[in-house]
Amino acid sequence: MLSREGRQGLTLISPPFLYALLLLAAPLAVVVTFSFWSQNYLDLDTTLTLKNYREVWTKPIYRVLILRSLNISMLVTVFTVLLAFPMAYFLSFRVKQNKALWLFLITIPFWTSYLLRIFLWKVILGYNGVLNSALMGAGFIDEPLTFIMYNVTAVVITLAHAWAPFAILPIFVALERIDRSLLEAAEDLGDGPVRRFFRVTLPLAMPGVLASTLLVFIPTVGDFVTPRLVGGKDGLMVANLIQVYFGKANNAPLATALAVSSMLIVTSISVIIFIVGRRIGGRTR
Amino acid sequence: MSENAIIEIEDVSKSFGSVTALSGVDAIIREGEFFSLLGPSGCGKTTLLRLIAGFDEPTGGTVSIAGEPMAGKPANMRPTNMVFQSYAIFPHLSVGENVGYGLKKKKMSRQEIADEVTRALAMVDLAGYGDRAAHELSGGQRQRVALARALVMKPKVVLLDEPLSALDKKLREQMQIELRQLQKQIGITFILVTHDQEEALIMSDRIAVLFEGEIAQLDTPEALYRRPVNKRVASFIGVMNFMPATVTASSDTAMSVNIPSLGQVDLRADQLPEGLNPAAVDTIGVRPEMLTILFDESETAEREAPGEVTSASYCGDMTYYSVLLAQADEPVTISMRNTTGRSILTPGTQVRVGWGHESVVLFD
């Protein structure tokens, strides 16, 4: 039987454990279960089958959409992290006072809803949008640029903006944790600012970069609002299809099989990113 | 300036905003010496070290290393290497990579670097530790790695920022002696920052005592201890008994001083601090070990004064007595070695206190 401490421990963790069970494990279990059922017009056939998975893993449409989703998501991740690093660096190394205020300012994008921010980008990037009007007004271009709206570029820009704070904060925290005397030691041992950055600052900031990468990559693969609104027909992602199957197409089993498949792929890629990142961060030569 | 000066500090001052950390500091540090910057926290000793290292630029004055003015030269261009207070061991690199960090910049082959690293690690008694991860090291080992990392660069000057303050007492005492021996053996100039006067006395050839951004005294450990220039230096280094006194007569070669608690004494001019104004002298100082309690009738001293023991602190090898001298308001501290047959005196015991004129230091 359990010891007294054991029972105490269980009692202590039970509220968050139940919470996690109800809100994470249960829905996931439902999704996984659904993926092994099948849809027979209006009826749900609950005999276990691999039919949905067979379809997902063989038909080209799904492969195309999943690959495109991963592609867009990686582009977004690279852009977001590359833009976030200088911001986090500035915040950690250059801002001496009021760091809290700066952090607060970084959360400004969150003050409006996700949907509004996407519409904002529509206004900026659109055919008659702010950017095109400005560029035409200034005489840089004669007709509106079309490659910036309703395609992958627009999706990348919109998502990179939306996820910027999530990327900045982990890198900022990692940079803050670097003992400043390490940087002085590197300088003392002959490194100029650039060498010092690549030999000390960046390797030590890698855990933060890694966290940012995963934090942006994982959720953006599954995004369906942004591609729907600014992605046009080439910018559609796998989540858009899942949404269609859940909704109009009324095929929840296929939708869940698609979801579980994407989840497995994203998990594998995340694990690879994590391991590779750890290796780079752990030992730099 | 001086023939063998390695570092010349001329009228150096440093302010951070409205706070003055250093003002008008002059010092010459000689080649091959173990030099200490000693003072309480906030006296500017670390600031001065950082100015020499090149992490900060002075607000005024110049720092020259090996005859070359260092103004505008960042730390990576200076022939100095530092052992940081936190040791600043790179956590993502192995011990060997830490030690070889600065050599990568110099155009050396991998093999040459490896050889230098091995030699440096052996020098600090860490042979075979090259492949260890930084976090596997103890505090003392980290300190040695930091030292090896600085020495391997063959700098003209090694700067040590309170390198022993994080170690426990035993290890610290051992490292003080080892560091001193190592420095003498390799002959590189060491500049040590410390707030521990004992550490400075043990390790240094010369010590600069800093108070509030100014050098109060720059001297050998012995001179600092025996002839402190003012009361502050005297009480910062070791223990000093202060007693009121007045100068009754003075000439170019001698001075007569009346010390109510001890008696009248004649002092030669050469034992007085330079620039002392006889008229301003109001205090004398005597170190606790310069006073002796005369235990029996047969013991004698150059001078004697009566007193009464008020308390005794037994410390194993020594006993520290507080003795109220006949004509004094405050008791003095007297340290006595606990040799064979010498019992510990109880408070209230009447004693004769022996002293000599050479142990007296004058203060204005």
Side-chain angles (χ1 to χ4, degrees), chain B residues 39-101:
Chain B
S41 58
C43 71
K45 55 190 191 299
T46 300
T47 305
L48 185 55
L49 196 75
R50 291 176 58 85
L51 291 181
I52 296 170
F55 295 127
D56 291 316
E57 283 287 322
T59 321
T62 56
V63 173
S64 306
I65 301 178
E68 195 187 337
M70 286 290 133
K73 274 203 169 190
N76 54 335
M77 313 285 278
R78 297 193 182 192
T80 57
N81 283 106
M82 181 120 143
V83 175
F84 290 82
Q85 188 169 13
S86 63
Y87 309 142
I89 305 294
F90 300 116
H92 58 300
L93 302 178
S94 70
V95 168
E97 287 167 333
N98 262 283
V99 176
Y101 189 96

